Amino acid sequence: MSLNLLYSAREGIIGLKRARMATAITISTVTISLILLGIFMVLTLNVHRIVSNFRDQMALEVFIDNSLSSEEIRLLEDQITQEEGVAEVLFISKEEALERFREEFGDDPLELLGENPLPPSFQIKIQQAWQTPEGIEDVAKNIERIRGIDEVVYHQNLFRMLDRYSRIIIIVDIVLFSIVLLSAILLVSNTLRLTIYSQRKTIQIMELVGANQSFIRRPYLIQGILQAGVGGCIASLVVWGIWRGIEFRFPHLIEISPLLLLASVFLSLLLGFWGSLLGLKRFLNTT
Amino acid sequence: MIQLTEVWYWAGENQILSDINIHVKGGELLCIVGPSGAGKSTLLRLIHMEIFPTQGSVIVADYNAQMMTEKQIPFLRRKVGVVFQDFKLLEDRDVFENVAFALWATGVRRKKIKKRVFQVLAEVGLSHKRYTLIPELSGGEQQKVAIARALANEPFVLLADEPTGNLDAESTEEILELLKRINGRGMAILMTTHKEDLVKTLPARMLQIREGKIVG
Ligand SMILES: Nc1ncnc2c1ncn2[C@@H]1O[C@H](COP(=O)(O)OP(=O)(O)O)[C@@H](O)[C@H]1O
Ligand SMILES: [Mg+2]
């Protein structure tokens, strides 16, 4: 049985060598489709990453009454932590606020005014479920009610915009990705059919001498897997190369895991198998 | 062994075969003679079960066309050898590989393949050319390879559709001699031709076909 499979593989490879032109065209087509698909896959994965990173950054700034003692501030922090929708509370003391001001503006208010005018504050990160314009407003209002809170600052408009556009971006991305995926599948199965078509005489002879259907299919499925596999490997390398180029100029803009490349190669093998199966349908008609 | 009873075949609107009754007995040599377009190839395709009768019954050994499943067809094909006027060989392989192909494609063991290929090549008289590529052979030799391939799986009947249609007089003579020899060893042969004088010298039963009808 396994020896038989070996013969089928040999037959498949002989066929590829014979149909050299069709094979070259098929592998090129597979490669190009998979490069496009790969680029979109990386973009899609990273659009989600960038958008969700951005959402995570959505923070409330909560200014505290300047006269509170550090004990009272700790109690306040506990109280805020327990509020619904709050993910993380970070305390920024008067001194830290001053330091940040210096870094950001280069001026030193201490020198200008003789004292530190900046109040202590909390930076609050919102839980994912609350990262909507409405959710953030609710959280802000609830915190504002707590005694000892001076003011809650957040940019609702910015949130609203981010919310709207990120959704559009993700939808457009998913639509484009689906189109590219579908065209890749169609293109690959069509070109695989080209290779099979160029070997139709061999198929005809197999049917003539009484080979069964699964046996006839085998060399061509192996061919499909081989061609798509080669295309998939080249495409993965190219996508990886493009990513390295981007990474060189804009570090950490986009992430690629080796697992993704591996998954792509595996996917291309599946595509080859499936594409050949589709391609064979038109040539196998015993009855 | 092969029994066609009241067979009608229509291709769409066109009536190709009408009321065909043929019985081929074991070991028999039967020639079907008729002009081009009479329906000879269609008849053989019915027996090879590439097509199925519109009406009537086609029985080949244990296989009944009416009850054939897709899975059974390959097994029938192994027991019905066929050759055509255009040989249908793999041009980029040698003689040995072409014959071995039929055995390989039907799951025969490797050791057995080699032995059997040598056997049938000896039978058709091509042992000395076993490693010659197909395009380097004459038409007659190519048809011998096709016959060897058809015999490889030890069929009980050989269908030959105008086997000499593409051959010169000398090769034609050789192929007819070969078919006669194979038949002499007990193999049933059903052969078609449009040249009646060709088969007159053969020890064969003859059937005339005209416009899809057996006329004598
Ligand atoms: N699939 C088909 N559709 C329509 N007509 C066909 C088909 N196959 C064969 N024919 C017609 O059937 C007739 C018999 O064809 P064929 O069996 O090839 O004749 P022969 O082999 O005796 O020359 C011809 O007129 C041919 O045109
Ligand atoms: Mg014909």
Side-chain angles (χ1 to χ4, degrees), chain A residues 3-4 7-8 10-11 14-15 18 201-202 204-213 215 219 286-287, chain B residues 48-50 52 70 73-74 77-78 82 84 88-93 101-102 104-106 110 149 153:
Chain A
L3 196 65
N4 244 331
Y7 280 125
S8 294
R10 198 185 74 113
E11 188 63 31
I14 289 175
R18 202 176 318 138
K201 194 174 173 191
T202 313
Q204 194 200 0
I205 291 173
M206 285 202 225
E207 290 189 316
L208 201 80
V209 299
N212 58 37
Q213 299 279 306
F215 189 92
T286 326
T287 42
Chain B
H48 203 230
M49 297 200 189
E50 281 165 59
F52 291 88
E70 190 124 348
I73 291 172
R77 301 266 170 91
R78 291 170 203 185
V82 270
F84 303 91
K88 299 199 195 297
L89 299 171
L90 296 165
E91 306 276 332
D92 58 343
R93 301 185 200 200
F101 190 80
W104 167 73
T106 50
R110 197 179 171 185
R149 184 182 65 193
N153 263 317

Side-chain angles (χ1 to χ4, degrees), chain B residues 86-120:
Chain B
D86 62 350
F87 321 130
K88 299 199 195 297
L89 299 171
L90 296 165
E91 306 276 332
D92 58 343
R93 301 185 200 200
D94 64 27
V95 170
F96 181 93
E97 287 170 316
N98 264 276
V99 179
F101 190 80
L103 295 164
W104 167 73
T106 50
V108 176
R109 293 269 194 83
R110 197 179 171 185
K111 267 189 195 157
K112 213 178 148 199
I113 290 180
K114 198 167 177 183
K115 203 173 144 203
R116 182 66 188 146
V117 173
F118 284 173
Q119 245 171 27
V120 284

Side-chain angles (χ1 to χ4, degrees), chain A residues 194-230:
Chain A
L194 182 76
T195 324
I196 295 168
Y197 180 76
S198 69
Q199 301 165 77
R200 62 195 177 285
K201 194 174 173 191
T202 313
I203 295 179
Q204 194 200 0
I205 291 173
M206 285 202 225
E207 290 189 316
L208 201 80
V209 299
N212 58 37
Q213 299 279 306
S214 70
F215 189 92
I216 296 173
R217 278 200 196 104
R218 238 189 280 161
Y220 304 98
L221 293 179
I222 291 171
Q223 285 181 357
I225 291 171
L226 277 178
Q227 292 177 99
V230 170

Side-chain angles (χ1 to χ4, degrees), chain A residues 120-138:
Chain A
S121 65
F122 290 120
Q123 254 187 15
I124 293 169
K125 288 196 174 170
I126 309 292
Q127 286 173 6
Q128 245 173 26
W130 297 77
Q131 289 173 354
T132 64
E134 298 75 28
I136 215 147
E137 199 178 347
D138 285 349

